[in-house]
Each structure stands twice: as C-alpha cells, then as structure tokens.
Amino acid sequence: MQISDILAPESVVCGLALSSKKVVIEKLAEMVESVNPSVSSSTVYDRLLERERLGSTGLGRGVAIPHGRLENCEKAIGAFMFLESPVDFDAIDNQPVDLIFALLVPQECNDAHLKILAQLAEKFSNEEFVAKLRTQASATEIHKMLTA
C-alpha cells in the first residue's frame, strides 16, 4: 500500500491558522469525515487523541504523524495539513509543528499500518523533502509531492 492509495487530493489543505494541538486534531477528524462519510469525525478525534495521550506523535523538525485504529473502517485513510503558523504538539524536540499527516487504519490492520507509518516517517525524515514541501503554496502541489 502506498501513500497515494490513502490520501485523496481533497484531504490535503494548506494555510490553515489553528491555535492548538486539539484544534488541529479536531480539524483533521472533520477532514477525514468529509471525504469518508462512513467515518464519524468524533470517533476519529477520539482515536487520534487517545494515541496522543500515550505519547506525542510529533516527530521533530515541525512534523507530526497522529495515527489511530478505527472499528468499522474498511481501508487506511490519510489527511494532511500545512499550517500557516506552527502549533505546540509536544514534539520530541520541543519544536512546534506545521506539517501534520493523520493516518487512520482498520482496527485489525497491523502490518499495513506499520508499513504506511514507516513510509511516512522515511519521507518526513528527509530534510530536503520537508524543506521543499514547506515552499509549496497549494494543496494540489503538496498532494503531488506526498504521493509521488
């Protein structure tokens, strides 16, 4: 499974001005529901927040990958946002976050979940890729980069 299989063009936004980690997670949940109406935004919000309580998904260098498992979910789902201004995400390096990729997978999806997380972590650990991503002005261009 590739990132292009889980990230719809309409699940990418840029230029949002959000104030906190919880507001970011709330907006991600709404984005997921808008593209996948069978998935409840409140359930997505709860799952992502539950995972954050275990430890921050802020990887460092302004990147976070909140993720969780959903019951009654048939396939992995992604959503991405590039914030106008970074927010505190309790990241490992204590730096605020402006690039956030949310990943939701079916409850029983173990291997695929880990493979997608590994792909995302590899992509976002590439400093050149992250720097170039931050220069993009449109959601369309960001989607192309993420799914290439």
Side-chain angles (χ1 to χ4, degrees), residues 16-147:
L16 291 178
L18 302 176
S19 59
S20 70
K21 181 182 194 176
K22 282 190 175 183
V23 174
V24 165
I25 291 172
E26 185 177 294
K27 180 64 177 168
L28 286 165
E30 291 168 5
M31 289 169 58
V32 168
E33 183 182 50
S34 72
V35 176
N36 304 278
S38 64
V39 177
S40 154
S41 65
S42 62
T43 301
V44 171
Y45 176 82
D46 289 346
R47 295 303 167 268
L48 293 177
L49 213 52
E50 282 172 14
R51 173 57 188 83
E52 287 302 314
R53 287 186 190 116
L54 297 175
S56 177
T57 57
L59 302 178
R61 294 188 325 274
V63 176
I65 307 177
H67 54 279
R69 298 176 188 275
L70 289 176
E71 293 176 4
N72 304 320
C73 177
E74 295 179 16
K75 64 180 185 104
I77 304 166
F80 180 83
M81 61 175 58
F82 176 20
L83 300 178
E84 182 178 284
S85 300
V87 298
D88 181 20
F89 220 83
D90 303 315
I92 193 165
D93 63 357
N94 295 315
Q95 296 300 308
V97 166
D98 62 347
L99 301 174
I100 303 119
F101 193 112
L103 173 65
L104 295 138
V105 296
Q107 185 68 35
E108 65 285 343
C109 187
N110 291 324
D111 289 341
H113 182 192
L114 294 176
K115 287 178 183 174
I116 294 168
L117 274 175
Q119 285 177 38
L120 291 169
E122 182 178 339
K123 219 175 243 299
F124 288 113
S125 66
N126 179 326
E127 290 182 35
E128 186 177 313
F129 173 81
V130 171
K132 186 175 179 185
L133 195 58
R134 285 191 173 109
T135 67
Q136 302 307 305
S138 77
T140 302
E141 290 304 314
I142 290 171
H143 182 263
K144 284 180 188 173
M145 280 189 68
L146 289 171
T147 58

